[in-house]
Amino acid sequence: MSIVSSLSPRAVAAPESGIVELVNYARGREGLLPLWVGEGDLPTPDFISRAAMDALASGETFYTWQRGIPELRQALSDYYDRHFGLRLPVEHFYVTGSGMQAIQIAVQALTSPGDELIYLSPSWPNIAAALEIAGARSLSVELQFEGGKWAVDLGRIEAAITPKTKGIFINTPSNPTGWTATKQDLVDILALARRHDLWILADEIYARYSFAGGRAPSFLDVMEPDDKIIFVNSFSKNWSMTGWRVGWIVAPPEMGQVLENLIQYSTSGVAQFMQKGAVAALDQGDDFVAANIAKAARSRDILCDALIATNRVETLKPDGAIYAFLKIDGVADSRRAALDIVDKTGVGLAPGTAFGRGGELFLRACFLRDPTQVAIAAERLCDYILKL
C-alpha cells in the first residue's frame, strides 16, 4: 500500500491548480511576460511595508486578537463608510489569513458534509475545491456567453437548487470572465435566496475594479440587516499585497464566536505587524488604489483592442475585474494552447480549463500591469494568433 492511498480521500482528490501548473512549467524564463496569475506588477507600496516593519521592530510579534486587531477592524469599518456609503460597526469584521482562508472559513461555517453550494462558472477554481475538501458538494451553473459578453440566468440558478442546497456563491466582478452584476441582478439573486432560505457567499474582491466609473454594485446596496450574506475580501489586488496573505470577512455579528473559533483552530490569527500594514493600506491607500484601477483600465484597452482587431478573438472589454477572457478561433484545447503560447511567445496565460465548465475554450490574461508591458504582450499574442 502506498503512503498516498492511506490518506484522506478528500485530500487526495484535491485537484492540481491548472494555473499553478503553467506557472511551474515556465516560471523564471528570460523575457517572460507573466499574465497568468491575478496580481499586478508593483511591489507593496512603501507606506504599507514601513508600517509593518515599524510594528515588527517595536516588538509586535505576540499572539493577538483572533478577530483582528481593533485598529484594523475600525479601519475596515471606515473603509466601507467611504466606499460603500454604509457605516457597519466593527463587530461585522473579521481578519483572516488571506481571501482564500476567508472563503474556507465561510464554507466551514455554512456547510456540513453532503450539503451543496451553487456557484457561477467559469469561476476561480478555489471555491469548488474548498467545498469539496470540506466534504460539501459544489454545483456549477454556467454563465451565458454571447457576442463576447457574459450574463447570468436566474432560471438556471433556481433549477439547480435542491433540498441540500445551503447557499449561492457570487463573485462579481468575476474572475475570470469580468462579468459584473447589475444592481438588478443582485436584487433578483437576493430575492431568489430569500425564497429558498439560502445563504449568499459574496466575493467582492474586485468591487473597486469597475470600468463604468465608481465601484461595482454590491449586495450591500440592496440587502436588509437580516439577510443571510457573508462577504469575503482580500488586501491582495487593491494594494499590491498578494504575498501578504491577509483578507477579511464581513458577516452578521451573531456569527462572531463561530468565526473566531474557526480562525483559532486554523491559523490562530494574523500576525499583528502584518495587520498594522493592512491598517496603513486602508487609511492611506486610496490614491494608490485609484492609480492601480486607472492602470488596469489603460492596459485593458490596449490588450483587448489589439486582440479584437485580429478578427480571430471573441471577446469584449470586460466591465470589471482585472482579466481578459479570450476565445481564440482554432483553439480547442486551452491547456495545450497555453503551453504552446508561453513556449513560442513568452507570454504566460492561464488556461480556461482551470476555471471549470464553460471555460474550456478560453484563455485568461491579467492586465493589471504596466501598459508598456501589456502592449508588448498584445503584439506577441496577435502575431501568434494570426499565424494559427
Side-chain angles (χ1 to χ4, degrees):
M1 175 183 292
S2 71
I3 290 176
V4 171
S5 66
S6 67
L7 300 178
S8 160
R10 289 205 301 267
V12 173
E16 178 185 12
S17 167
I19 305 169
V20 174
E21 179 193 10
L22 263 292
V23 174
N24 289 340
Y25 174 72
R27 186 196 302 268
R29 292 191 187 183
E30 185 177 352
L32 179 70
L33 292 174
L35 309 186
W36 41 30
V37 296
E39 65 180 354
D41 56 349
L42 292 178
T44 304
D46 182 68
F47 68 89
I48 297 174
S49 298
R50 179 59 56 188
M53 288 188 289
D54 288 346
L56 181 61
S58 66
E60 297 186 39
T61 58
F62 296 93
Y63 290 134
T64 188
W65 286 267
Q66 305 296 287
R67 303 185 189 197
I69 61 174
E71 301 98 310
L72 181 50
R73 298 176 80 197
Q74 183 60 56
L76 284 164
S77 178
D78 294 341
Y79 176 80
Y80 275 79
D81 190 20
R82 291 197 308 276
H83 295 289
F84 292 82
L86 189 64
R87 170 57 74 176
L88 293 172
V90 296
E91 290 78 15
H92 287 263
F93 298 98
Y94 307 86
V95 180
T96 61
S98 75
M100 183 64 239
Q101 193 197 27
I103 288 173
Q104 287 179 318
I105 288 173
V107 164
Q108 291 169 8
L110 297 184
T111 66
S112 299
D115 286 339
E116 299 172 350
L117 201 77
I118 293 168
Y119 69 98
L120 303 180
S121 180
S123 171
W124 184 53
N126 293 35
I127 177 59
L131 284 162
E132 300 292 339
I133 290 171
R137 185 182 177 206
S138 59
L139 294 178
S140 65
V141 171
E142 289 186 45
L143 291 165
Q144 294 177 300
F145 180 72
E146 186 174 351
K149 295 284 286 185
W150 298 88
V152 65
D153 184 335
L154 270 291
R156 290 186 183 183
I157 296 177
E158 189 151 28
I161 296 171
T162 76
K164 294 183 178 181
T165 305
K166 291 298 294 290
I168 308 168
F169 178 85
I170 300 293
N171 169 217
T172 174
S174 162
N175 173 11
T177 65
W179 167 74
T180 302
T182 65
K183 188 173 181 179
Q184 189 60 51
D185 287 333
L186 299 181
V187 168
D188 294 342
I189 292 168
L190 182 54
L192 175 64
R194 289 168 177 164
R195 285 200 305 274
H196 293 273
D197 192 27
L198 301 178
W199 280 89
I200 290 174
L201 180 49
D203 177 347
E204 297 185 353
I205 283 176
Y206 300 99
R208 302 285 301 282
Y209 288 92
S210 176
F211 303 114
R215 63 163 173 82
S218 165
F219 279 108
L220 292 167
D221 301 325
V222 300
M223 67 182 290
E224 298 295 333
D226 59 347
D227 280 320
K228 293 165 44 174
I229 304 179
I230 296 178
F231 298 84
V232 294
N233 218 310
S234 169
F235 285 87
S236 292
K237 318 299 180 180
N238 289 346
W239 297 278
S240 296
M241 296 173 67
T242 51
W244 288 61
R245 318 312 301 140
V246 183
W248 73 87
I249 291 172
V250 185
E254 295 90 330
M255 298 179 64
Q257 194 59 54
V258 172
L259 296 177
E260 179 175 330
N261 294 345
L262 292 173
I263 292 169
Q264 165 64 28
Y265 300 125
S266 55
T267 58
S268 297
V270 176
Q272 184 164 322
F273 63 88
M274 293 170 62
Q275 293 191 57
K276 287 295 183 69
V279 171
L282 293 168
D283 288 349
Q284 304 173 43
D286 282 354
D287 288 345
F288 180 81
V289 175
N292 252 349
I293 295 167
K295 179 170 70 173
R298 292 195 301 274
S299 294
R300 176 197 69 150
D301 291 347
I302 290 169
L303 180 64
C304 292
D305 285 345
L307 294 172
I308 292 169
T310 66
N311 293 317
R312 300 286 306 278
V313 176
E314 187 178 0
T315 191
L316 295 176
K317 296 178 184 179
D319 294 326
I322 56 175
Y323 309 102
F325 208 44
L326 317 169
K327 187 178 182 183
I328 302 171
D329 290 348
V331 170
D333 183 337
S334 62
R335 177 184 173 275
R336 180 170 295 183
L339 292 167
D340 191 50
I341 287 170
V342 76
D343 282 342
K344 293 181 178 176
T345 73
V347 178
L349 303 178
T353 49
F355 302 96
R357 289 173 50 196
E360 297 87 351
L361 300 180
F362 292 80
L363 294 147
R364 191 194 72 176
C366 176
F367 49 70
L368 183 56
R369 301 187 70 82
D370 183 333
T372 302
Q373 289 190 12
V374 172
I376 295 170
E379 182 179 359
R380 294 182 189 179
L381 289 171
C382 289
D383 183 64
Y384 175 89
I385 290 166
L386 293 171
K387 291 177 180 176
L388 287 176

